[in-house]
Amino acid sequence: MVYKKGEKLISVYWFTILVIVAVGIVLMVNSYYGNSYDVREVEAEILSEKVANCIYFGGKVHPLLLTPQGVFREDFRDNFMERCSLNFDVQSEFTPIPYYVGVQFLTFEDSRTFFKFSVGNNNYKSDCEIKLGGSEKLAKCVEKEFYMKTSSEKIYLVKILSIVGKTNENTN
Amino acid sequence: MKTQIKKDSKGQIGETLTWIVATLIIIVILIVFIFGASLLGKTKVVGNFRESLTSGKSIEEIDPFLRKSFFTLFSLNSIEQKDVLEKKMLSLYEKGVFEEDYNITRMEIVLNYNKR
């Protein structure tokens, strides 16, 4: 009789341990896979690559960027989004645009800004100047540079600054 | 008879203590693992894959910006301009603007140009 009671107690104990271990494993998996991936930097890189390919691809400048005389066209600046097939639209009307793209054309000789334009949310630009540890809640900035040559043999340094906000979607 | 009962109860206390300590150890180990998993979860970054998981074919390390600059460099006619541009590109590379290896990309593009 006494032994039977002890056996019952032991089996309840083992069952409790089993439940504790199972809950622990569930918590472990949940805490690892529950954390979201931060893809903002990759997204910003893809965005800058897309813009770069639109401006200069295969050694040729976008046909609507320059006039035959080699002058930058103002209408390219105005219709940049359509020209480069970009769409920053967000689902909700009151949600701020989570992207920013700024393009600068600098002269080859004296690195002077010759032509520039930007689209998207300007407010994120200040986030790029803050370089602190643990700045996950700030927008991610990626700056890329390359040299391009126009048909009139002029060289420009093209600087593309792309910023992705989306902090809520990419951080915990 | 009395001494026998005393001995039995001592053994029971010892065994119960062993189980309590074992349970505590299991719980502590679990807490440590849960904490470790949550810490590891925060370090997840897209692109940090082990070499054994990715073959050379699946991920190509390409810096399109360096390639574009090289296309500009090789399409120039003036040798003077070429020299100046190459110096500027090298200084950008030293600053860490370009991600890909400068010389390997250069060689690759030269070979592709010669093929054409």
Side-chain angles (χ1 to χ4, degrees):
Chain A
M1 192 74 175
V2 176
Y3 281 119
K4 269 188 183 175
K5 263 193 180 174
E7 268 173 31
K8 257 189 186 175
L9 206 70
I10 291 265
S11 61
V12 167
Y13 171 79
W14 278 118
F15 186 74
T16 318
I17 290 292
L18 201 75
V19 169
I20 290 170
V21 171
V23 168
I25 290 168
V26 168
L27 282 175
M28 266 184 257
V29 172
N30 187 49
S31 59
Y32 183 76
Y33 288 103
N35 281 318
S36 52
Y37 278 96
D38 193 350
V39 295
R40 287 175 296 167
E41 213 165 315
V42 178
E43 205 176 343
E45 270 181 34
I46 292 168
L47 183 60
S48 56
E49 205 179 309
K50 191 170 166 57
V51 172
N53 282 340
C54 168
I55 291 167
Y56 190 63
F57 189 75
K60 283 187 178 171
V61 183
H62 192 288
L64 298 171
L65 178 63
L66 299 160
T67 60
Q69 292 79 33
V71 180
F72 284 96
R73 290 170 64 156
E74 291 292 324
D75 63 324
F76 187 86
R77 186 201 325 244
D78 301 334
N79 304 308
F80 170 64
M81 297 286 280
E82 292 87 65
R83 297 268 190 272
C84 290
S85 310
L86 294 174
N87 186 2
F88 291 170
D89 285 348
V90 280
Q91 285 172 340
S92 166
E93 203 180 315
F94 301 105
T95 315
I97 298 167
Y99 301 104
Y100 171 87
V101 174
V103 184
Q104 273 184 299
F105 295 87
L106 287 87
T107 51
F108 181 64
E109 296 79 22
D110 50 2
S111 298
R112 184 170 44 85
T113 307
F114 194 71
F115 186 69
K116 65 175 179 180
F117 55 87
S118 63
V119 285
N121 194 338
N122 258 314
N123 298 328
Y124 289 130
K125 271 185 89 177
S126 54
D127 284 12
C128 304
E129 285 146 28
I130 303 164
K131 276 163 189 153
L132 285 169
S135 55
E136 291 95 29
K137 293 284 172 193
L138 298 173
K140 292 276 172 188
C141 312
V142 168
E143 194 173 33
K144 295 284 179 185
E145 297 172 21
F146 67 93
Y147 286 97
M148 76 167 203
K149 191 197 87 172
T150 64
S151 52
S152 53
E153 290 284 313
K154 270 201 138 188
I155 307 166
Y156 292 99
L157 173 66
V158 186
K159 281 189 178 183
I160 301 169
L161 172 69
S162 51
I163 308 172
V164 178
K166 291 186 178 178
T167 40
N168 291 336
E169 292 91 332
N170 289 275
T171 50
N172 297 299
Chain B
M1 187 72 177
K2 268 189 180 177
T3 48
Q4 185 66 37
I5 291 165
K6 253 192 180 177
K7 266 185 187 174
D8 279 354
S9 67
K10 263 191 183 176
Q12 273 180 340
I13 291 165
E15 210 170 304
T16 315
L17 270 176
T18 311
W19 285 117
I20 290 167
V21 171
T23 314
L24 285 174
I25 288 170
I26 289 169
I27 290 167
V28 167
I29 288 171
L30 274 174
I31 289 167
V32 167
F33 273 80
I34 291 164
F35 185 67
S38 72
L39 277 184
L40 275 175
K42 280 175 191 163
T43 62
K44 288 197 295 186
V45 178
V46 173
N48 283 357
F49 302 115
R50 266 181 288 156
E51 254 180 63
S52 56
L53 290 174
T54 56
S55 69
K57 281 175 189 171
S58 62
I59 290 180
E60 239 182 304
E61 278 183 23
I62 291 173
D63 186 350
F65 304 95
L66 179 59
R67 278 161 193 253
K68 280 183 198 298
S69 302
F70 272 124
F71 274 120
T72 303
L73 178 75
F74 293 128
S75 64
L76 285 173
N77 296 321
S78 155
I79 297 165
E80 268 181 40
Q81 268 190 328
K82 268 189 183 180
D83 287 341
V84 178
L85 180 59
E86 183 134 41
K87 273 179 195 164
K88 286 193 174 189
M89 278 173 66
L90 268 168
S91 76
L92 282 184
Y93 177 70
E94 278 158 14
K95 278 182 199 167
V97 172
F98 301 123
E99 285 166 10
E100 213 178 344
D101 188 89
Y102 186 88
N103 292 322
I104 292 171
T105 315
R106 193 182 199 285
M107 242 171 54
E108 207 177 290
I109 291 173
V110 166
L111 283 171
N112 280 339
Y113 251 68
N114 288 341
K115 266 185 199 172
R116 285 180 194 176

